[in-house]
């Protein structure tokens, strides 16, 4: 009985893998072609938050629960601040005179404190989902 | 102000100190000239300055998520450097020493650049603090000192282990650090709505809140989250398994390419 050389075995294996790859690509294309395009998602609610003299304005925010929200943090100071919240799992440095965008939620009903990490004694706020 | 400054700087420094101590301890046991700490720190500081400027430049780009993209890019590069170090470590004791040393240095420089960039932003925020600036700077020096001391302590603690265990311990620690970096990158991408937000898998904030000193330390070191989403937990686990798979594959395939087959790691304390 003759056995194939390692080179022939490797070549046959490569050809086999290419065939499998082509079949997988064809199946994926067919599946995508039959799937109707999803409806565009509605734009998330945008909440404006300003930071002035190391104070958040407003310091209390209310948002609907179980809803994703787009938060725009406008830093009106000349120095950077870090918007942070352990409960929201969010941290982002906002350079002076810049606006940061973060996505938050969907959140279960409750209160979620946030603060300015560089000025935690003054820059404090709370986001309530209800 | 002083305490806040200590905590902010300590949290950034300790992540770098932890990674550096693991890499330097591995270099010690492998008897390779470790990456020069001073050079890595200096290069990293230059990188921190460049990173700070870069983040400011790209902040408003990419749909307003330039900050997230910049951080994720550096985190990804750090993670890849750690994976490459892990792969080469498993070829020990015949690991290519020059390549290993350069990759270790690259991982340290990237970590210093990213964490240093955050500290530079903090220092920039002090410019309007008036009389409190001296407290803040004192706190920063204390925080840096504590961070470096903790890293040094951990380095010497690792040197007390048996050489036979050094590779396994170091590789495990590197895998955990890499997973933490991936988890933090995932959070940033969720924040930018590039990955989906999900309901947390569990909530361990009752017994270990993230805001506690231990929680913050674990977040900095291994990416601890009190309320991880399934995606974040999955990324953490997948990156750990990938690191393990790479380590095992290199350990097995190493001898085929002339690596790995050789005497066990010598005790660095015995004279050759």
């Amino acid at each position: 009985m003759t056995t194939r050389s390692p080179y022939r075995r490797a070549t046959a294996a490569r050809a086999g893998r290419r065939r499998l790859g082509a079949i997988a690509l064809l199946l994926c294309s067919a599946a995508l072609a039959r799937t109707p395009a999803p409806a565009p998602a509605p734009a998330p609610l945008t909440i404006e938050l300003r930071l002035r003299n190391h104070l958040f304005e407003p310091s209390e925010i209310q948002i609907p629960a179980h809803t994703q929200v787009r938060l725009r943090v406008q830093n009106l100071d000349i120095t950077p601040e870090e918007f942070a919240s352990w409960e929201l799992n969010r941290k982002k440095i906002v350079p002076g005179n810049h606006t940061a965008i973060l996505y938050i939620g969907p959140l279960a009903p409750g209160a979620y404190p946030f603060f300015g990490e560089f000025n935690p004694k003054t820059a404090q706020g709370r986001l309530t989902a209800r | 102000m002083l305490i806040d400054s200590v905590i902010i700087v300590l949290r950034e420094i300790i992540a770098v100190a932890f990674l550096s101590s693991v890499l330097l301890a591995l270099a010690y046991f492998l008897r390779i000239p470790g990456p020069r700490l001073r050079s890595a720190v200096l290069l990293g500081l230059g990188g921190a300055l460049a990173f700070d400027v870069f983040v400011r430049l790209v902040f408003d780009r990419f749909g307003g998520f330039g900050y997230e993209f910049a951080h994720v890019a550096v985190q990804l590069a750090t993670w890849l450097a750690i994976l490459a170090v892990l792969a080469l470590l498993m070829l020990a004791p015949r690991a290519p020493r020059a390549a290993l040393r350069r990759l270790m240095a690259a991982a340290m420089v990237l970590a210093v650049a990213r964490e240093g960039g955050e500290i530079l932003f903090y220092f920039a925020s002090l410019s309007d603090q008036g009389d409190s600036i001296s407290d803040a700077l004192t706190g920063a020096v204390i925080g840096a000192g504590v961070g470096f001391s903790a890293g040094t302590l951990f380095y010497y603690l690792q040197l007390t282990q048996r050489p036979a265990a050094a590779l396994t311990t170091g590789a495990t620690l590197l895998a955990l650090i890499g997973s933490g970096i991936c988890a933090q990158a995932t959070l940033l991408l969720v924040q930018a709505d590039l990955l989906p937000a999900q309901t947390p898998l569990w909530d361990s904030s009752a017994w270990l809140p993230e805001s506690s000193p231990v929680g913050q330390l674990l977040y900095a070191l291994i990416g601890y989250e009190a309320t991880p989403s399934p995606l974040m937990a999955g990324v953490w686990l997948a990156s750990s398994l990938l690191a393990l798979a790479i380590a095992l594959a290199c350990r097995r395939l190493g001898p085929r390419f002339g690596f790995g087959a050789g005497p066990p790691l010598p005790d660095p304390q015995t004279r050759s």
Side-chain angles (χ1 to χ4, degrees):
Chain A
M1 183 176 88
T2 55
T3 54
R4 284 194 287 181
S5 68
Y7 173 75
R8 280 197 168 187
R9 278 202 299 270
T11 310
R14 266 200 303 275
R17 282 197 294 271
R18 282 196 196 122
R19 273 196 293 272
L20 270 174
I23 291 169
L25 192 61
L26 273 170
L27 285 173
C28 286
S29 306
L32 282 169
R34 294 183 65 174
T35 307
L45 175 67
T46 299
I47 302 287
E48 299 283 341
L49 188 64
R50 287 174 302 281
L51 190 61
R52 194 196 316 260
N53 297 323
H54 309 305
L55 291 167
F56 282 116
E57 296 171 1
S59 59
E60 298 274 346
I61 299 172
Q62 288 197 5
I63 64 168
H66 308 297
T67 307
Q68 190 186 42
V69 159
R70 189 166 167 267
L71 188 68
R72 283 186 84 243
V73 183
Q74 193 180 4
N75 186 359
L76 299 172
D77 295 330
I78 57 168
T79 54
E81 182 58 83
E82 183 169 17
F83 174 90
S85 172
W86 297 111
E87 288 77 4
L88 293 170
N89 280 334
R90 295 292 181 267
K91 278 180 80 171
K92 186 165 183 175
I93 288 177
V94 192
N97 295 318
H98 276 75
T99 301
I101 299 171
L102 312 97
Y103 283 87
I104 290 171
L107 297 172
Y112 300 84
F114 55 85
F115 57 97
E117 184 124 44
F118 297 164
N119 295 278
K121 290 184 173 53
T122 55
Q124 293 184 10
R126 189 170 58 183
L127 187 144
T128 306
R130 54 175 66 181
Chain B
M1 176 55 77
L2 187 138
I3 300 292
D4 296 332
S5 190
V6 170
I7 292 170
I8 289 170
V9 174
L10 174 60
R11 202 172 51 220
E12 308 298 343
I13 296 280
I14 202 143
V16 176
F18 186 59
L19 173 64
S20 303
S21 70
V22 171
L23 292 173
L24 290 172
L26 282 166
Y28 172 83
F29 282 108
L30 288 173
R31 285 192 171 182
I32 63 173
R36 291 204 185 92
L37 188 61
R38 190 167 51 187
S39 307
V41 169
L42 285 173
L43 265 175
L45 287 176
L49 200 59
F51 187 63
D52 182 285
V53 171
F54 178 69
V55 168
R56 288 173 196 268
L57 284 174
V58 302
F59 191 84
D60 296 319
R61 294 178 186 267
F62 305 107
F65 298 112
Y67 174 88
E68 283 83 355
F69 276 107
H71 277 265
V72 168
V74 174
Q75 284 169 325
L76 189 64
T78 312
W79 179 61
L80 289 174
I82 288 174
L83 280 186
V85 166
L86 201 55
L88 290 185
L89 280 175
M90 290 300 114
L91 304 178
R94 292 184 184 173
R97 299 153 75 90
L100 192 52
R101 190 173 176 218
R102 285 195 194 106
L103 283 167
M104 285 181 171
M108 285 166 62
V109 168
L110 285 166
V112 172
R114 197 177 78 84
E115 305 296 347
E118 302 269 298
I119 293 176
L120 285 177
F121 269 112
Y122 172 63
F123 284 156
S125 77
L126 300 176
S127 60
D128 64 348
Q129 293 298 328
D131 294 336
S132 304
I133 198 168
S134 60
D135 283 347
L137 290 175
T138 305
V141 170
I142 294 171
V146 171
F148 283 124
S149 301
T152 306
L153 190 67
F154 191 61
Y155 168 73
Y156 282 107
L157 191 67
Q158 291 175 84
L159 298 195
T160 61
Q161 62 184 327
R162 289 177 295 114
L167 202 56
T168 307
T169 310
T172 306
L173 289 172
L174 281 181
L176 284 175
I177 293 170
S179 300
I181 289 172
C182 288
Q184 290 171 9
T186 305
L187 261 186
L188 286 173
L189 293 175
V190 171
Q191 180 171 286
D193 200 30
L194 293 169
L195 288 176
Q198 299 168 317
T199 310
L201 263 181
W202 66 72
D203 185 351
S204 56
S205 54
W207 60 275
L208 185 57
E210 273 175 67
S211 53
S212 65
V214 176
Q216 289 188 47
L217 179 68
L218 288 177
Y219 172 80
L221 298 181
I222 60 169
Y224 168 72
E225 275 290 327
T227 54
S229 64
L231 179 63
M232 191 178 166
V235 165
W236 194 95
L237 193 62
S239 56
S240 302
L241 292 175
L242 178 64
L244 179 67
I246 287 173
L248 286 174
C250 288
R251 200 77 176 136
R252 287 204 163 182
L253 296 175
R256 285 196 198 180
F257 300 98
F259 298 105
L265 286 178
D267 185 342
Q269 295 194 3
T270 58
R271 289 172 183 268
S272 55

